[in-house]
Amino acid sequence: MQKDYLQRFIFDKADVRGETVHLEKSWQEIINHSHYPEIVRNYLAQMMAATVLLAATIKVDGSITIQASGDGLLNLMITECRHDLSIRAIAKYNEKGIEGLEHTLEAGELPKLNELLVNSSFIITVQQSNGQRYQGIVEVKGNSIAEILENHLATSEQIRTKIQLSHTENSCAGILLQELPNHHSDEETWNEISLLTETLSDDELNTLDTTTLVQRLFSEHSIRIFEAQGIQFRCTCSNDKVSKMLTSLGYQEAQSIIEQSDFIEVACEFCNKTYKYDEIAIAEIFAPQQNKNDTRSYH
């Protein structure tokens, strides 16, 4: 069975569609770059799985990013999924505070999300490849990432959605059930499907393939399952992007750093790749700008 995939399915006799996501190798690549503590890994994993599920529902030609920030011990989480199902993620946290909190918890116990992301805000950004950008502020209403996103979709899109998310030491997974756009399934059917989804255990969500899971969970329904799509970790950092960032600093500021340290070093926080620039490299980056400034017009 493919270990990193998104797979869609649809109910034949109900106006409901679904998706499952399973991340293993791609998720391990994300956490291997940063070695997050278990508390941070748990919530970042859930948000990463949710981001892939949302990307599939809107069929974005570009990328979708979820950013959660707050004043607590967990300061920031950013997860991104692009149209080719390549993903990346990052978290910022109070290392000493999280370490101290872990010592107070029982084995396997996790603090609630609102205890970590105090005064939190959630922002969903859709960046289309044609340059168009949509950004929505998500009301933080709910006790988990799944509940927050369910409530957001119900109020902003008027689409009932059920999301279950799970994380183990080596993988993360999720399932999304949603009414078809411009349709409204009958209350009894929707409630049944929602309640059945809530019975899923973490083990089932992380270990069962989509066909087995769906047939076991919704055995009374006729369901079509589509071909799985592969997911991979891929960072979008590049020398060109870092060069543009350095250009925004200005030539004088860059030169000042070079004079103090002999080089400028920039590390990508998503993949830990390091970009290093000496005085010659900086001169090359700013050469077009310098040449433009030196240009004289004669009439």
Side-chain angles (χ1 to χ4, degrees):
M1 183 183 75
Q2 190 174 10
K3 294 183 178 180
D4 296 71
Y5 64 90
L6 171 81
Q7 194 157 12
R8 298 179 175 90
F9 57 92
I10 189 167
F11 290 72
D12 284 327
K13 296 181 180 180
D15 295 322
V16 178
R17 64 184 177 184
E19 305 158 1
T20 62
V21 61
H22 186 272
L23 307 175
E24 188 168 321
K25 182 181 178 182
S26 56
W27 171 242
Q28 289 171 14
E29 287 191 62
I30 288 173
I31 59 177
N32 285 343
H33 292 135
S34 301
H35 306 291
Y36 297 116
E38 173 59 24
I39 291 174
V40 177
R41 285 203 311 270
N42 175 74
Y43 285 110
L44 188 64
Q46 290 185 42
M47 200 161 90
M48 186 73 263
T51 304
V52 178
L53 292 171
L54 289 185
T57 64
I58 62 176
K59 298 179 181 178
V60 60
D61 181 16
S63 66
I64 179 170
T65 303
I66 301 180
Q67 176 177 315
S69 58
D71 301 327
L73 296 180
L74 183 54
N75 312 123
L76 176 71
M77 293 189 294
I78 300 175
T79 53
E80 179 186 72
C81 178
R82 292 173 288 279
H83 64 273
D84 61 355
L85 295 184
S86 57
I87 62 172
R88 63 178 185 169
I90 188 174
K92 300 276 191 179
Y93 59 97
N94 182 317
E95 188 171 347
K96 289 185 177 179
I98 291 289
E99 184 178 336
L101 180 60
E102 285 183 322
H103 290 308
T104 68
L105 299 173
E106 299 290 336
E109 183 185 3
L110 287 167
K112 293 181 179 178
L113 182 62
N114 57 10
E115 294 174 353
L116 294 173
L117 279 169
V118 181
N119 300 320
S120 59
S121 64
F122 275 67
I123 298 174
I124 296 177
T125 303
V126 176
Q127 180 68 58
Q128 298 284 5
S129 56
N130 62 8
Q132 289 186 328
R133 180 186 177 97
Y134 163 80
Q135 194 167 73
I137 297 175
V138 179
E139 182 182 3
V140 183
K141 185 179 178 183
N143 296 316
S144 67
I145 291 171
E147 286 185 13
I148 290 169
L149 294 176
E150 286 172 359
N151 290 326
H152 170 69
L153 292 167
T155 55
S156 66
E157 307 294 334
Q158 284 77 53
I159 299 177
R160 289 190 292 191
T161 305
K162 186 66 184 176
I163 300 172
Q164 291 286 102
L165 304 169
S166 177
H167 163 249
T168 68
E169 184 178 353
N170 298 314
S171 65
C172 55
I175 184 171
L176 177 147
L177 281 300
Q178 189 175 69
E179 289 181 317
L180 294 173
N182 303 316
H183 290 73
H184 190 75
S185 57
D186 69 87
E187 199 75 21
E188 183 179 349
T189 301
W190 174 256
N191 288 339
E192 178 205 354
I193 290 172
S194 296
L195 289 172
L196 286 171
T197 305
E198 290 177 6
T199 67
L200 272 173
S201 68
D202 287 347
D203 183 65
E204 287 174 317
L205 200 50
N206 277 278
T207 61
L208 296 180
D209 63 89
T210 302
T211 300
T212 303
L213 186 150
V214 168
Q215 290 178 346
R216 180 182 297 183
L217 198 61
F218 308 114
S219 58
E220 300 299 316
H221 294 267
S222 174
I223 295 175
R224 281 178 289 156
I225 302 174
F226 301 98
E227 187 177 352
Q229 298 172 268
I231 299 171
Q232 64 177 335
F233 167 80
R234 181 169 62 82
C235 190
T236 59
C237 70
S238 67
N239 183 66
D240 183 56
K241 288 183 178 180
V242 176
S243 296
K244 288 179 180 178
M245 182 274 290
L246 292 175
T247 303
S248 68
L249 283 177
Y251 182 69
Q252 296 299 327
E253 179 67 21
Q255 277 294 100
S256 176
I257 297 173
I258 288 290
E259 289 172 3
Q260 295 177 32
S261 306
D262 295 330
F263 59 85
I264 297 176
E265 189 171 85
V266 179
C268 175
E269 295 182 314
F270 286 95
C271 68
N272 279 351
K273 184 175 181 178
T274 300
Y275 297 84
K276 197 170 182 178
Y277 304 87
D278 58 15
E279 186 174 5
I280 295 174
I282 291 297
E284 291 176 348
I285 289 173
F286 284 93
Q289 192 178 92
Q290 294 296 102
N291 292 337
K292 183 177 179 180
N293 292 338
D294 290 341
T295 300
R296 298 292 185 270
S297 297
Y298 298 94
H299 301 280

